[in-house]
Amino acid sequence: MRILYHLPLSPYCRKIRLVLAEKRLPFDLRQERVWERREEYRVINPACTVPTLVEDNGLAVPGSGVILEYLEEAYPDTPLLGNTLGERVEVRRLVAWFDGKFDAEVTRNLNGQKYIKRLAGRGHPDANALRVGYAQLRDHLQYLGWLAETRKWLAGPALSLADLAAAAHLSVLDFAGDIDWSISPAAREWYARIKSRPSFRPLLNDRVPGINPPAHYADLDF
Amino acid sequence: MRILYHLPLSPYCRKIRLVLAEKRLPFDLRQERVWERREEYRVINPACTVPTLVEDNGLAVPGSGVILEYLEEAYPDTPLLGNTLGERVEVRRLVAWFDGKFDAEVTRNLNGQKYIKRLAGRGHPDANALRVGYAQLRDHLQYLGWLAETRKWLAGPALSLADLAAAAHLSVLDFAGDIDWSISPAAREWYARIKSRPSFRPLLNDRVPGINPPAHYADLDF
């Protein structure tokens, strides 16, 4: 069976879990405590990050960006990147937006400070990082709401990797109760739609010692 | 004519200049002072980063990762991503290594502190960042040398985006005289080979006010 090395509250790992489920590719999940820098793991992923996908034929695919492109090429039946060159530019632009800009401005300041730092034993959250993270989350929710209002899905008429990348980041923040959904009703409506997909169900069942998600987290009519 | 919005010492922009030249796609260069957040530029690249490529048909392709994938799909005649699924995984892994890990550990600590910070009027370099950057550069040169010793090019038998991404980062550091090439003769031999390609010539002619590159910078037999 295909194996995905992951951590439960990593948005990059969640994104790949969503993609595999949307493409109906079965896989086993294994947690990898990357900060322990396990020698066998560094052989398949020298950067020692999660996720890494290992195929039945032994091919190791390290890193979420590499895995996304690999899955599109190896399993094109459920395309998630769009068809025309222009559509594919827009999907990849938004994936880079959420995995690059949103991650640096929001996810690392909130999830990175509150969860990853504690997990790796590196102390308490920095109050300034949290303040900056919440302020920037507000701007990003408004941008996301604008996209959701003007298009059926974030990158255009079809569900794409852009929706899955955005939803993966938001799901991690929502788990910690960090999102004020009243900021953008359109973003909330989009998130309710994506959250109700069967691919999302396993993410909503993740539990992590020491963090209790808010009541609405797994509620499809939040 | 195709336009590439860029900054001269950005490794991401240099990478795209190398790719366009290797694919023999003519383009005009325009400098974009992204910290001024020009309104017309934010329309074509909402993240307001460089590079952005604008095609003759008006299609705007923002961000170096998006441009790489776009150019491979739109102009497949000179393939730079490899042929098999496994080769493409290795090329993309190394592009992510240099644009992600090397950039965070080395380029931002050296070029980011010494050049970008001054350019954007954000003060003097941080001595601790420089110390960390030089130490990590040593480790990365050894890894690069190991790749160059065991393969013809960094990702395998053919020149690929991995070589162009690595060379783009190193060229920026070499411009500032930051590389001690005696650390890895194999890395030096690989860099001399890539530096002698016609695609590299325009990069070696870049000049920036206030920084004089060392004598060996544009010397093909350094």
Side-chain angles (χ1 to χ4, degrees), chain A residues 2-173:
Chain A
R2 186 180 288 115
I3 296 167
L4 185 71
Y5 292 90
H6 87 129
L7 284 169
L9 289 191
S10 152
Y12 298 97
C13 298
R14 290 188 152 208
K15 180 181 62 179
I16 301 301
R17 290 162 71 187
L18 291 172
V19 173
L20 288 167
E22 289 289 338
K23 286 181 177 285
R24 294 189 168 70
L25 298 170
F27 61 102
D28 276 341
L29 273 178
R30 299 232 183 116
Q31 283 206 37
E32 181 64 36
R33 298 159 65 89
V34 289
W35 52 91
E36 294 177 356
R37 301 184 65 76
R38 193 165 60 85
E39 190 55 37
E40 299 88 332
Y41 188 67
R42 289 171 64 193
V43 171
I44 60 169
N45 184 344
C48 204
T49 56
V50 279
T52 299
L53 181 72
V54 179
E55 290 277 35
D56 285 338
N57 65 6
L59 180 64
V61 189
S64 89
V66 182
I67 298 172
L68 282 188
E69 296 290 344
Y70 166 77
L71 290 175
E72 281 295 296
E73 292 179 353
Y75 306 101
D77 281 354
T78 309
L80 292 168
L81 260 173
N83 295 311
T84 68
L85 286 170
E87 286 170 8
R88 295 165 77 84
V89 165
E90 182 62 358
V91 171
R92 289 192 175 108
R93 177 184 80 80
L94 286 170
V95 172
W97 179 278
F98 288 104
D99 284 348
K101 192 173 172 65
F102 186 95
D103 183 69
E105 294 176 354
V106 181
T107 310
R108 281 191 226 173
N109 282 323
L110 301 181
N111 182 55
Q113 289 291 329
K114 289 165 56 163
Y115 174 65
I116 304 292
K117 210 168 167 180
R118 193 188 63 188
L119 202 62
R122 291 204 306 265
H124 294 289
D126 174 69
N128 192 48
L130 296 179
R131 189 184 55 74
V132 170
Y134 286 120
Q136 296 190 126
L137 173 56
R138 172 173 287 266
D139 293 344
H140 275 285
L141 280 175
Q142 279 160 352
Y143 181 59
L144 199 150
W146 176 78
L147 290 172
E149 262 172 341
T150 50
R151 302 163 170 185
K152 185 169 175 199
W153 294 97
L154 294 188
L159 176 84
S160 76
L161 295 178
D163 300 282
L164 304 180
H169 282 273
L170 290 172
S171 75
V172 166
L173 301 172

Side-chain angles (χ1 to χ4, degrees), chain B residues 3-63:
Chain B
I3 297 167
L4 185 70
Y5 292 90
H6 87 128
L7 284 169
L9 290 191
S10 152
Y12 298 97
C13 298
R14 291 188 152 209
K15 180 180 64 180
I16 300 303
R17 290 162 71 188
L18 292 172
V19 173
L20 288 166
E22 289 289 338
K23 287 181 177 285
R24 294 188 169 71
L25 299 170
F27 61 100
D28 277 340
L29 273 177
R30 299 233 182 116
Q31 284 206 37
E32 181 63 36
R33 299 160 65 87
V34 288
W35 53 91
E36 294 177 356
R37 302 185 63 76
R38 192 166 60 86
E39 190 54 39
E40 298 87 332
Y41 188 68
R42 290 171 64 193
V43 171
I44 58 169
N45 183 343
C48 205
T49 56
V50 279
T52 300
L53 181 72
V54 179
E55 289 277 34
D56 285 339
N57 65 8
L59 179 65
V61 190

Side-chain angles (χ1 to χ4, degrees), chain B residues 25-218:
Chain B
L25 299 170
F27 61 100
D28 277 340
L29 273 177
R30 299 233 182 116
Q31 284 206 37
E32 181 63 36
R33 299 160 65 87
V34 288
W35 53 91
E36 294 177 356
R37 302 185 63 76
R38 192 166 60 86
E39 190 54 39
E40 298 87 332
Y41 188 68
R42 290 171 64 193
V43 171
I44 58 169
N45 183 343
C48 205
T49 56
V50 279
T52 300
L53 181 72
V54 179
E55 289 277 34
D56 285 339
N57 65 8
L59 179 65
V61 190
S64 89
V66 182
I67 298 173
L68 282 188
E69 295 291 343
Y70 166 77
L71 290 174
E72 281 294 297
E73 291 179 353
Y75 307 100
D77 282 354
T78 310
L80 292 168
L81 260 174
N83 296 310
T84 67
L85 286 171
E87 285 169 10
R88 295 165 78 83
V89 165
E90 182 63 356
V91 172
R92 289 192 175 107
R93 176 185 80 81
L94 285 170
V95 172
W97 179 278
F98 288 103
D99 284 349
K101 191 172 171 65
F102 185 95
D103 183 69
E105 294 176 353
V106 181
T107 310
R108 279 190 227 176
N109 282 324
L110 301 181
N111 182 55
Q113 289 291 330
K114 289 165 55 162
Y115 175 65
I116 304 292
K117 209 168 167 179
R118 195 189 61 186
L119 202 63
R122 291 206 306 265
H124 293 290
D126 175 69
N128 191 48
L130 295 179
R131 189 184 55 72
V132 169
Y134 287 120
Q136 296 189 125
L137 174 56
R138 172 172 288 270
D139 293 345
H140 274 286
L141 280 176
Q142 279 160 352
Y143 181 59
L144 199 150
W146 175 79
L147 291 172
E149 263 173 341
T150 50
R151 301 162 171 187
K152 185 168 175 203
W153 294 97
L154 295 187
L159 176 84
S160 77
L161 295 178
D163 299 282
L164 304 180
H169 282 273
L170 290 172
S171 75
V172 166
L173 300 172
D174 201 38
F175 185 89
D178 277 338
I179 303 183
D180 174 0
W181 288 106
S182 72
I183 291 168
S184 171
R188 181 196 186 118
E189 187 277 329
W190 163 85
Y191 188 64
R193 250 192 303 146
I194 202 159
K195 193 168 149 180
S196 67
R197 296 178 74 84
S199 62
F200 223 84
R201 179 57 41 197
L203 274 59
L204 298 175
N205 292 334
D206 280 350
R207 287 297 175 270
V208 174
I211 304 186
N212 292 315
H216 74 256
Y217 174 70

